[in-house]
Every structure is written in structure tokens, then in C-alpha cells.
């Protein structure tokens, strides 16, 4: 019985977050890049902001880069949601016990590819000294696992939150 209880709290291997073994640039505090995280609740215009960001990105891929800002595309933040909903992939992978319409836990299958791809995007942006812009609803949910969110936003420590 004791072994069964101990195993009940073990995270399945597919859901574990890998450790990074990359040498990272260091920055003076004033030069350190930041993550700009728009966490607008539903019905506050977040979808319109996302549409504007991604329509602009698709029309001119370098426009945000001119201001040293990276916006993750679907290939870099993959999951269930595409187009302007890409940021929802991150939000939903940070929801504790999120259940999909199929009734099963979505965090493992939905987030497995993102868990591999998104950290590469974040490290690449960090190494280039770029800020990262992510906008999505659902970051306002009480079920957000902030330790998991912090993991996905590594190596950034300056997180600017906008609502």
C-alpha cells in the first residue's frame, strides 16, 4: 500500500520537464531581455490583440524583429491552437489537470511537442538578446501552475505581465 501511495504522486515520464544543459549569455540587469506576457481575461479584447499581432507577423515577419521582439509562431509553440491562438498552447500546458473534450488529461499529449520545441525558441531568443511577446487568454485561470510557466519561460527572469 505504501508503494502504491508513493507512486500515485509520481509524474509520468511523458509529462516531466527536461533539464536544460545549455551555456547561456549573461546580461547586465538593464540590458536583460524580457518576456511580455499579455494575460487578458476573456471578453477584454485579447483575441483582437492576438489577431493584430499575428496578422502583422504574417504580413511582415521582420517587423517585430526590428524592435528586437520575438513572437513565437506555431512551429515554435506547437499544440492544439494555431494562428492567433498560439499563446493558448502555453497557457493550456500550464493548467493543472486540464481536461479536454475527450475526457482525458490533455497536458501530456498536447504539450509533449511544445515541451521539446518551445524551450529551443526561448533559448534562441535569449541568446540573441530579444524580448519575447506572448498574448493569450486563460493565463488568468486559478489553475495555472506557475512553476510550470516559469519553467517554460526560462531562461528569462524579467517577466512583464499585462492584463
Amino acid at each position: 500500500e505504501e508503494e502504491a501511495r508513493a507512486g500515485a504522486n509520481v509524474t509520468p515520464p511523458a509529462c516531466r520537464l527536461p533539464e536544460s544543459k545549455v551555456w547561456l549569455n549573461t546580461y547586465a540587469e538593464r540590458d536583460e531581455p524580457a518576456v511580455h506576457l499579455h494575460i487578458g481575461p476573456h471578453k477584454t479584447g485579447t483575441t483582437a490583440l492576438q489577431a493584430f499581432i499575428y496578422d502583422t507577423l504574417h504580413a511582415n515577419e521582420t517587423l517585430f524583429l526590428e524592435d528586437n521582439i520575438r513572437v513565437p509562431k506555431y512551429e515554435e509553440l506547437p499544440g492544439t491552437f494555431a494562428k492567433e491562438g498560439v499563446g493558448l498552447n502555453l497557457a493550456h500546458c500550464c493548467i493543472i489537470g486540464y481536461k479536454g473534450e475527450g475526457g482525458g488529461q490533455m497536458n501530456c499529449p498536447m504539450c509533449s511537442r511544445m515541451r521539446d520545441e518551445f524551450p529551443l525558441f526561448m533559448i534562441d531568443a535569449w541568446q540573441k538578446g530579444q524580448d519575447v511577446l506572448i498574448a493569450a487568454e486563460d493565463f488568468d485561470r486559478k489553475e495555472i501552475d506557475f512553476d510550470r510557466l516559469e519553467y517554460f519561460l526560462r531562461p528569462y527572469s524579467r517577466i512583464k505581465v499585462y492584463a
Side-chain angles (χ1 to χ4, degrees), residues 66-161:
E66 291 171 14
D67 290 318
N68 208 33
I69 297 172
R70 285 275 292 273
V71 178
K73 296 179 249 179
Y74 178 77
E75 305 80 44
E76 298 158 329
L77 187 50
T80 300
F81 304 98
K83 299 184 181 176
E84 68 268 5
V86 166
L88 281 169
N89 294 328
L90 178 59
H92 281 229
C93 286
C94 293
I95 294 173
I96 299 168
Y98 182 74
K99 303 278 184 189
E101 287 185 24
Q105 171 123 14
M106 283 185 66
N107 281 6
C108 290
M110 185 174 104
C111 301
S112 61
R113 187 164 156 234
M114 191 196 90
R115 189 185 62 229
D116 296 332
E117 300 297 327
F118 189 58
L120 298 175
F121 165 83
M122 294 299 285
I123 288 170
D124 185 60
W126 174 268
Q127 296 293 69
K128 294 175 179 174
Q130 297 167 325
D131 285 357
V132 173
L133 173 61
I134 301 170
E137 300 93 345
D138 290 346
F139 279 116
D140 65 335
R141 289 183 171 197
K142 66 179 180 180
E143 300 92 358
I144 291 290
D145 179 341
F146 288 99
D147 290 334
R148 190 178 297 169
L149 180 59
E150 182 181 24
Y151 164 81
F152 280 121
L153 298 180
R154 296 187 315 182
Y156 290 78
S157 59
R158 287 182 57 211
I159 314 298
K160 298 181 178 188
V161 178

Side-chain angles (χ1 to χ4, degrees), residues 8-61:
N9 293 325
V10 174
T11 304
C15 293
R16 289 194 188 122
L17 302 173
E19 291 299 318
S20 175
K21 304 215 180 331
V22 176
W23 290 97
L24 298 170
N25 293 341
T26 55
Y27 297 95
E29 187 175 340
R30 70 182 185 288
D31 298 328
E32 185 177 323
V35 171
H36 301 274
L37 187 61
H38 184 271
I39 61 166
H42 290 275
K43 306 299 178 195
T44 60
T46 302
T47 304
L49 177 62
Q50 292 166 312
F52 170 78
I53 290 168
Y54 281 93
D55 287 349
T56 302
L57 185 65
H58 291 300
N60 182 350
E61 284 193 24

